[in-house]
Amino acid sequence: MSEHIHDPANITNPEHADHHIVSPLQYTYVFISLLIGTAVTVWAANIDLGVFNPIVALAIASTKMVIVILFFMHVKYQSNLIKMTVGAGFFTFLVLITMTLSDYMSRAWGLW
Amino acid sequence: MDSAIDTTHAEHDAAEHEHVYVPQHRHHFETEEQQREAGSFGMWLFLLTEIMFFGGMFFAYLLFRNWYYEPFVVASNQLNIGMGAANTAILITSGFFMALAVWAAEVRKKNLLVIFLILTTIFGCAFLGVKYFEYKEKYELHHIPGASFDVSQFINPAAYHLNQPKIAPDQAQHVQLFFFLYFAMTGMHALHMIIGIFLLFWLLWRARKGEFSSGYVAPIENFGLYWHFVDIVWLFLFPLLYLINRHPLN
Amino acid sequence: MSTTETSILNLPDQSTAVIPKKNFITAEDGLLSWLLTGDHKRIAMLYLISITVFFFIGGAFAGLIRLELLTPQPDLVASDTYNKFFTMHGIIMVFLFLVPSVPATIGNFLIPIMLGARDLAFPKINLLSWYLYMIAGCVILTSLVLGGVDTGWTFTTPLSTHYLNTHVITTAVGVFIAGFSSIFTGLNFIVTIHRMRCPGMTWFRMPLFVWSHYAASVLMVLGTPVLAIALVLVLLERVFGIGVFDPTKGGDPLLFQHLFWFYSHPAVYIMILPGMGVISEVVSTFSRKRVFGYTAVAFSSVAIALFGFFVWEHHMFIMGVSNYSALVFSLLTMLVAVPSAIKIFNWAFTLQMGSITFETPMLYAFGFMGLFTIGGLTGVFLGSLGMDIQLTETYFIVAHFHFVMVGGMLMAFLAGIHFWWPKMTGRMYPESLSKLAAVVTFIGFNLTFMPQFILGYLGMPRRYHAYPAEFQVLNVLSTAGATVLGVGYVLPVIYLAWSLKYGPVAGNNPWQATGLEWQIQSPPLTENFTEIPIMDHEAYDYEWLEHKTAQEVNAVG
């Protein structure tokens, strides 16, 4: 734990579980990164990268999402259960998108 | 009932320290930590339902963008990228202040907590304010799908002194589809923000009373999770809706 | 011990036995103490009453359907009205009965007790769940009273969005709200199971009932929101007409179906998994034997939940999906049958070399195993692409899902209600009458739905109120069966209600079952346990039970 909070009655942590408190400085780094990411997204959108435009945009958005989840939402310092829960959510979302897409993408493949 | 199901529970922790409970402790939880973890886990499960809920709309967007790329490009370019980018920055800032509010609650600094919650709310309202002006602009330009939608400006942009590519009349109908998705997705997002702001006011009122400055941080933490999630949805909405192809005339 | 060879029922001496004065029912008085309760057991009771009411409303529609189908001509009601019958039957039975049946009643009641906890993780959300359910039920009944909806319970587009003037919006709102009720129940269960097990209660010591509820809860949380967005899009399409499901405006009606079935296929596993959990408990108790292959049964629940997400397109094979994706989904559908089959095998091996007795819950369990197997196998037939082209939208499908849902799930629900009735109420139901009801139900069920398989492969379409005259005999058989089935369902309501006042006192463990719920009083205290138990033995440990009971006998002296 990087921050030692004075907590004589140990209310927030009676089981001595490792409760990491993310510092304002870490938050500030994340904040600046998010703003930079936004600026880069807009700048990249104005350059013609052909098919890579949406890929770049989504890659930056995904990176932003990851740092928000890890730091703003504390998941980096949470239990494995929480990490697995987040993973399960994304997994199910991806199943929805990809398996439904499999129908639409293969419709144009012609008849047997 | 005694032989196998006896309890050594009391002996176990007598050696450790006595349990201290915040006033908000619920009787069916053994410890504060269990209550807090359960609450956080419960909020994450709720966020999973939100991921799947928005997921349906993201899929619809993916499908129709794929099918109707040119109309979607033209439609996307109707959106004001400056307002969109500014809103993204505003929402990120709001999220930053929310994270700081959670920190302030964790370190028991009541005044800072209240200030950060107020800032979160202000930036959240600013986001909604910008959205209002965006929607107003769309209304004035007849971009709202439905009866008032005007397709002629897309079929014949030159007549309206618009510098954008012409699209065929049958494809022009699909511009409406883009705007439907735009309003449905940003509208659903805005609805979640409005609910969040009401919750923020409620939390602010309780924070000012000091409810969250003596170790009971769960509501602030869990609301923070919700707020960041709403932020993440916007982080995807912005590039997908506003930045489809910002140089279509090339 | 007063067991005989034909029954393991062990009631206390009725001349001295009393219902414990302090229990969750007597804890507080007054209507508000029930309507504002946080006690999971009281909420379970509230659900039990409301679910029963909606079941009979849905059943009434079934009766009307079968009445119309007595004759080949469409002579009882107009086509639109008939469409409303089967739509309301489906919506009420699926969303207001089957989805909440076991989880919200038996699951709510038992999961904290089985885990050694005092309550679910979020009691207020549990209560909210019940209120959302009631509101949803009222909204759906409102739409019924206003004139009903005739889209079929599947709200298929573009029929529901462009071609009907009935109360689609009201009903969709009702289903949307019911979805949230389901989500909150599932959320509550997941958090409770992860975070509130008593000391010593490892994952693999939990009863299999809990495992199946865990799997069903994951499906509820991850699948239901997609139904929600599908309904929202239907609402927006109907109100604003933007074209997301309208081919003339570039939309795709199949998009709705993909989103709808992405939930509705996992929904059938939401409906059946808790029932399978009940069967595990009942089969074990009435064979006096631990469930064979505990780990396999536990993991098969999770596997059903996981694979259940990958097969939804098999409901859309004839709707215009690509042949390639249809192939893939057909293959995956074959795979999803495997975990269910594993369970049936494991129950069968539990029975082998066990001391089997045929009390009412066990009769229902046997009914389940046979009928669910038939229903499940016909599901595999339907998953095969070629067969499905022929059989879909016929009575074969109707028979298939009624076999699994009514022959399977409803029987499991009744098994569970009978099995845990003494625990929930402190009273035992009349055994001979209940056995009669079980047999009547089984006969009635087979008479109703077996002919429908034949009708299906002979080509009778579903959702039609007229049919070729050569199908009449089978239809009459089916309607006759439905009448018998109805009797079989009314009987339990009567004798269970009777038992509340006149049934013998049951005592803590009338079935001599293992499981934490049987070690506490019947009905339980509000806080379930006087002291949080420590679990130091495996699930279904009959030796532990014997050892404990032997000790008890010694102690009484």
Side-chain angles (χ1 to χ4, degrees), chain A residues 92-104:
Chain A
T92 319
F93 174 80
L94 285 173
V95 167
L96 172 64
I97 302 290
T98 52
M99 290 185 80
T100 317
L101 256 187
S102 75
D103 170 31
Y104 287 99

Side-chain angles (χ1 to χ4, degrees), chain B residues 3-5 28 34 37 68 180, chain C residues 120-121 195 225 242 250 533 544 551:
Chain B
S3 55
I5 313 181
H28 57 283
Q34 185 191 33
E37 275 189 14
Y68 308 125
F180 159 63
Chain C
L120 288 176
R195 281 280 172 255
I242 326 71
W544 168 85
Q551 284 199 331

Side-chain angles (χ1 to χ4, degrees), chain C residues 465-478:
Chain C
H465 66 332
Y467 52 82
E470 62 257 34
F471 293 148
Q472 182 168 22
V473 173
L474 290 166
N475 271 293
V476 170
L477 276 176
S478 183

Side-chain angles (χ1 to χ4, degrees), chain B residues 1-9 26-30 34-35 37-43 45-46 48-50 52-57 59-60 63-64 67-68 145-147 173-174 176-177 179-181 184 188, chain C residues 118-124 176 180 183-184 187 190-191 194-196 199 221-222 225-226 228-229 232-233 236 240 242-244 249-252 255 259 262 516 519-520 529-534 536 544 548 551-552:
Chain B
M1 180 154 169
D2 305 327
S3 55
I5 313 181
D6 63 10
T7 172
T8 55
H9 186 68
R26 299 262 178 263
H27 73 282
H28 57 283
F29 287 110
E30 289 299 304
Q34 185 191 33
Q35 180 175 330
E37 275 189 14
S40 176
F41 184 35
M43 177 50 87
L45 288 173
F46 177 70
L48 290 196
T49 69
E50 295 276 38
M52 298 312 293
F53 185 71
F54 277 97
M57 278 195 290
F59 182 81
L63 177 68
F64 294 124
W67 278 4
Y68 308 125
Q173 269 302 328
H174 304 143
Q176 208 180 168
L177 205 49
F179 280 112
F180 159 63
L181 282 169
M188 188 60 73
Chain C
R118 295 203 183 283
D119 205 319
L120 288 176
F122 308 118
K124 289 190 190 144
F176 182 91
F180 269 100
I183 287 175
F184 286 138
L187 193 153
I190 295 176
V191 178
H194 270 280
R195 281 280 172 255
M196 292 181 70
V221 166
L222 290 174
V226 184
I229 191 66
V232 165
L233 289 174
L236 292 176
F240 298 111
I242 326 71
V244 68
K249 292 186 182 161
D252 185 13
L255 175 61
L259 295 175
F262 185 87
L516 286 177
Q519 318 311 323
I520 57 175
F529 302 96
T530 47
E531 290 153 344
I532 293 294
I534 294 196
D536 59 358
W544 168 85
K548 174 177 168 305
Q551 284 199 331
E552 271 178 8

